C-alpha cells in the first residue's frame, strides 16, 4: 500500500467525515494521524483491508471514543459518534460515495466561510480538503511554519467559537457562498500558476490541487455552470505549463512558446467545459476569462490568435467586473487587435490614475508596446520601473534581458 498516495487521494474525504462525526477539527485531525500510525503497524503484516478508507475512519472513531472516555467527555459525545458505527464497517457503495461527497462539500463551505480572513480560507482549504501539510503550505506561501500553524489554529478556533455550521448553505445563501468558494480555489491556482515571489515561476502542486478541487466542486455542484467554467479556465491555463519555462529556468512569454509542448488533452477538456458552461448560461468572470483562455489555447500559432474577439471579451469582462488589472489586459488586447498606439494610450491613462503603482505588469506592458513602436529609451525606462516592482526572480530575469537588449 502506497501510504503517501492514499493520503493525497483520500485524506480530504476521510477528514471531512471525521469532522462531521466528531464535531471538532483538531480532534478529527489528531485521530486520523493515530489511525495512520496503526495502519503503518498492521497493514504490512496483516494485509491492506478491502476498504482502506472505511478502516481508517473506523479506527479513528474508536481512538476518539477512547480519548473522550479518558477526558470524561464521552457521555456528551457518545450519541453522535455512535452514528458512525454501522457506517464504519459497511462495504463501499454508491450511498457511501454520496455520503463522502456531502461531507466534502460541507467541509469546503466551512473552510471558506466569509467570516474567516481570505488567507485563512485558502490555507484551511489546502490543509483539510486537499490534505497538504502545514509545512508544504508554509513553503508555498513563503511564511514560517509557525506562522502558518497559528493561522490554521486561529481559523479553526474561529469556526468553533463562532459556531460556524458544518453544512452546505441554504438555497438563498448559496450563490454568494459559491462565489467565495470559487474565489479561494482560483487564488490557490493563481499562486501556483504565477508565484508571487521567490525563484520558481510555477508551483505545480498548487495548480494540481486547485484543479482537483475544481473537479470535486463540479461533481458536487453540477447545477452551477460557473463552477464548470472555472475548472475549464484552470485546465486551459495549466495546459501551457511545460512551455512557460525553458530548460535553463527562464520565463517564455505566450507568443514565443513552443506550442507542441502544450497539453492537447487539457486544452480539449477545458474547451469542452467552457462551451458547456456557456451553453448553460454561464456569463460570470470565470466564464469570460475561460473563453479568452480557450481562444489563446486553440490558436495554432501566435499570429492566428483571434485578438479582435479577445479584445471584445475583455470589453465585456470590464463592464461586468471592473478592475484596473483587467484594464491592463484589455489594453494589450486592443494593441494587438487594433493599434499599438491605442493600446499604449489606455495604459498611459491607467498610469496617470496611479491605481496600480505597485503592479509591475503595468510598466512591463507599457515597455513592450513602446518597444514595438521603436521608442527604445522610453521602453528602457519602463522596464527599469517594472524591475523595481517585480518580486518573482524569474520574471525579474526576463525584464532584465529585455532591458539589456535595448541598452547594449
Amino acid at each position: 500500500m502506497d501510504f503517501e498516495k492514499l493520503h493525497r487521494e483520500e485524506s480530504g474525504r476521510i477528514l471531512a467525515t471525521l469532522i462531521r462525526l466528531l464535531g471538532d477539527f483538531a480532534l478529527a485531525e489528531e485521530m486520523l494521524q493515530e489511525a495512520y500510525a496503526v495502519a503503518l503497524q498492521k497493514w504490512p503484516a496483516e494485509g491492506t483491508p478491502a476498504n482502506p478508507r472505511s478502516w481508517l475512519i473506523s479506527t479513528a472513531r474508536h481512538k476518539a471514543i477512547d480519548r473522550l472516555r479518558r477526558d470524561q467527555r464521552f457521555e456528551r459525545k457518545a450519541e453522535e459518534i455512535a452514528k458512525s458505527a454501522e457506517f464504519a464497517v459497511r462495504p463501499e457503495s454508491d450511498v457511501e460515495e454520496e455520503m463522502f461527497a456531502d461531507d466534502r462539500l460541507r467541509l469546503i463551505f466551512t473552510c471558506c466561510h466569509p467570516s474567516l480572513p481570505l488567507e485563512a480560507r485558502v490555507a484551511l482549504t489546502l490543509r483539510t480538503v486537499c490534505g497538504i501539510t502545514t509545512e508544504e503550505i508554509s513553503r508555498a506561501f513563503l511564511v514560517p511554519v509557525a506562522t502558518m500553524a497559528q493561522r490554521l489554529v486561529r481559523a479553526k478556533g474561529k469556526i468553533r467559537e463562532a459556531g460556524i455550521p458544518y453544512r452546505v448553505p441554504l438555497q438563498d445563501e448559496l450563490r454568494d457562498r459559491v462565489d467565495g468558494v470559487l474565489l479561494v480555489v482560483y487564488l490557490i491556482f493563481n499562486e501556483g500558476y504565477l508565484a508571487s515571489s521567490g525563484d520558481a515561476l510555477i508551483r505545480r502542486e498548487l495548480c494540481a490541487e486547485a484543479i482537483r478541487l475544481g473537479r470535486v466542486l463540479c461533481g458536487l455542484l453540477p447545477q452551477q455552470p460557473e463552477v464548470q467554467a472555472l475548472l475549464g479556465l484552470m485546465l486551459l491555463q495549466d495546459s501551457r505549463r511545460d512551455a512557460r519555462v525553458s530548460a535553463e529556468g527562464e520565463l517564455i512569454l505566450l507568443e514565443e512558446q513552443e506550442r507542441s509542448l502544450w497539453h492537447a488533452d487539457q486544452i480539449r477538456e477545458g474547451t469542452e467545459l467552457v462551451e458547456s458552461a456557456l451553453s448553460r448560461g454561464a456569463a460570470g468572470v470565470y466564464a469570460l476569462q475561460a473563453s479568452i483562455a480557450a481562444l489563446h489555447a486553440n490558436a495554432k500559432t501566435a499570429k492566428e490568435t483571434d485578438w479582435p474577439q479577445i479584445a471584445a471579451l475583455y470589453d465585456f469582462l470590464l463592464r461586468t467586473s471592473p478592475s484596473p488589472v483587467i484594464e491592463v489586459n484589455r489594453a494589450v488586447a486592443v494593441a494587438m487587435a487594433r493599434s499599438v498606439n491605442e493600446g499604449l494610450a489606455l495604459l498611459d491613462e491607467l498610469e496617470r490614475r496611479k491605481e496600480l503603482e505597485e503592479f509591475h505588469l503595468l510598466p512591463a506592458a507599457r515597455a513592450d508596446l513602446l518597444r514595438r513602436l521603436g521608442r527604445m529609451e522610453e521602453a528602457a525606462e519602463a522596464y527599469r520601473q517594472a524591475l523595481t516592482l517585480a518580486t518573482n526572480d524569474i520574471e525579474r530575469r526576463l525584464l532584465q534581458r529585455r532591458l539589456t537588449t535595448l541598452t547594449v
Side-chain angles (χ1 to χ4, degrees), residues 8 35 81 149 177 181 260 354 384 388:
R8 286 288 186 185
I81 294 177
R177 291 286 296 280
V181 170
S260 64
K354 299 186 181 300
R384 292 188 189 97
T388 66

Side-chain angles (χ1 to χ4, degrees), residues 14 36 102 114 123 127 146 179 188 207 278-280 311 315 336 346:
I14 295 170
Y36 277 135
D102 288 345
R127 180 71 191 90
D179 289 346
I188 291 170
C207 290
L278 293 173
S279 71
R280 295 169 58 209
D315 286 342
M336 302 299 290
L346 293 171

Side-chain angles (χ1 to χ4, degrees), residues 20-21 60 73 83 85 111 128 155 162 171 240 251 285 337 369 372 384 388 392 394 397-398 408:
R20 172 174 60 83
L21 297 172
R73 290 181 291 162
K83 292 176 185 176
C111 291
T128 58
Q171 192 62 39
R240 301 197 296 267
L251 174 61
V285 62
L369 297 189
R372 291 172 188 267
R384 292 188 189 97
T388 66
N392 184 285
I394 293 182
R397 290 202 297 271
L398 171 67
V408 293

